[in-house]
Amino acid sequence: MATTEPALGPDLDPPRGPARLGRRPRLLAHLFLILFGLLMLYPLIWMLSSSFKPTEEIFTQPGLWSDNFSTDNYVEGWTALPQPFHIYIVNSLIVVGGSIIGNLLACSLAAYAFARLEFRLKRFWFAVMLGTIMLPIHVVIVPQYVLFAQLDWINTFWPLIVPKLLATDAFFIFLMVQFIRGIPKELDEAARIDGCGHFGIFWRMIIPMSTPALATTAIFTFIWTWNDFFSQLIFLADPDLYTVPVALRTFVDSNTQTPWGPVFAMSIVSLGPIFGFFLAGQRYLVRGIATTGLK
């Protein structure tokens, strides 16, 4: 006697049509994101293409392709200023390196104090610290200039580095405070039982566990300091001390024709350290932003 197998119920049938239909919106969404990303990157791609064109073709032939591609703009731009362009890159790296070290040390110490210590008027001083975020640099630049002039620090790197050692970037303090608050206090108590004081807890417990927040601080400090033009223009008057943004500005002259080819070439060169530093710490940046504020 032949037996027939029971038919699969509606819940056991393998999905066919809906799964295929569900892939189409996802494919269209990815395609849209790719096109939108290319649209956002077009100015950068155009600048990269223009850096290989002769200056006279950059604005007369605004397309991406040219029959006269060459690296002459890079050679000319590297030696067009009083100093080779690598001097300005080194100057920027000095300022950026000092700023990163200052923010990591000072802001982490201030954040530990706000997150773990108890002192009088703690909430008040925390609110004052947050209020400084709303102060534009143009409000404090004049008092800072007067102070640094009295210290004879004008035309040196000290005005650009020393304030970072005093925890003046409230945004990074707030970022680290939120991250440290998410670390269980039981770990502090365990370290205190082992004989650690506040500095031992900070150095042996908080710092190793705050790597994402520290990496986020380092990356943003690098980008913001590297691209800072206003304060570096104010405090640096010696052309030999110019940083990359100020050096790029010297290419532009209102009295003569601006060599846009070398300008774009050196702009592409100046973007290299930013992309490199960002890609090196990208995974820590994502973790730092994603976990900050979670308790």
Side-chain angles (χ1 to χ4, degrees):
M1 180 175 181
T3 59
T4 58
E5 296 182 358
L8 294 176
D11 296 335
L12 300 179
D13 290 337
R16 296 177 182 177
R20 295 180 180 178
L21 294 176
R23 295 175 183 174
R24 294 180 182 178
R26 187 180 304 175
L27 179 61
L28 293 177
H30 287 146
L31 182 61
F32 172 78
L33 291 176
I34 292 174
L35 294 177
F36 185 75
L38 291 176
L39 179 64
M40 297 299 294
L41 289 175
Y42 180 80
L44 179 61
I45 298 173
W46 181 84
M47 185 172 67
L48 176 62
S49 173
S50 299
S51 66
F52 292 98
K53 295 180 181 179
T55 300
E56 58 273 9
E57 292 186 8
I58 292 178
F59 298 106
T60 58
Q61 300 180 8
L64 297 178
W65 183 257
S66 174
D67 296 331
N68 299 315
F69 277 128
S70 69
T71 58
D72 294 342
N73 289 329
Y74 288 86
V75 176
E76 180 181 351
W78 197 269
T79 58
L81 299 178
Q83 296 290 339
F85 201 78
H86 71 270
I87 297 296
Y88 310 116
I89 295 178
V90 171
N91 292 340
S92 288
L93 290 176
I94 293 174
V95 175
V96 167
S99 299
I100 291 177
I101 294 174
N103 273 342
L104 291 180
L105 290 177
C107 293
S108 60
L109 286 170
Y112 177 79
F114 281 120
R116 287 294 196 259
L117 303 184
E118 295 295 335
F119 50 90
R120 294 182 59 185
L121 301 177
K122 174 181 175 179
R123 294 179 179 272
F124 170 77
W125 291 120
F126 188 73
V128 171
M129 182 271 297
L130 291 180
T132 60
I133 298 178
M134 297 182 290
L135 288 176
I137 188 176
H138 308 85
V139 174
V140 298
I141 194 67
V142 173
Q144 285 182 353
Y145 188 90
V146 173
L147 174 62
F148 294 141
Q150 293 177 351
L151 294 174
D152 197 22
W153 284 0
I154 302 300
N155 205 31
T156 66
F157 294 140
W158 295 120
L160 304 173
I161 298 177
V162 171
K164 307 297 183 181
L165 297 170
L166 303 177
T168 57
D169 287 334
F171 171 78
F172 298 125
I173 299 177
F174 177 73
L175 178 75
M176 293 187 189
V177 166
Q178 295 300 101
F179 193 91
I180 294 174
R181 285 176 176 173
I183 299 176
K185 291 186 177 181
E186 289 78 6
L187 298 177
D188 298 6
E189 298 173 358
R192 191 173 289 109
I193 293 175
D194 291 339
C196 291
H198 285 299
F199 183 78
I201 295 173
F202 169 77
W203 187 253
R204 297 182 180 181
M205 300 296 297
I206 301 299
I207 289 297
M209 300 185 66
S210 301
T211 301
L214 295 174
T216 303
T217 299
I219 291 173
F220 277 113
T221 301
F222 187 100
I223 296 175
W224 291 350
T225 306
W226 186 273
N227 292 329
D228 182 22
F229 171 76
F230 182 71
S231 59
Q232 296 173 6
L233 178 66
I234 294 295
F235 295 119
L236 300 178
D238 187 355
D240 294 340
L241 298 177
Y242 281 173
T243 55
V244 169
V246 183
L248 289 175
R249 175 61 180 83
T250 59
F251 277 102
V252 181
D253 191 348
S254 59
N255 298 324
T256 59
Q257 184 178 2
T258 301
W260 290 110
V263 171
F264 291 151
M266 293 302 99
S267 298
I268 293 296
V269 171
S270 67
L271 291 176
I274 295 179
F275 281 120
F277 197 82
F278 176 81
L279 293 176
Q282 181 182 10
R283 61 190 183 98
Y284 296 106
L285 176 65
V286 174
R287 287 174 54 193
I289 294 177
T291 56
T292 296
L294 298 180
K295 296 182 180 180

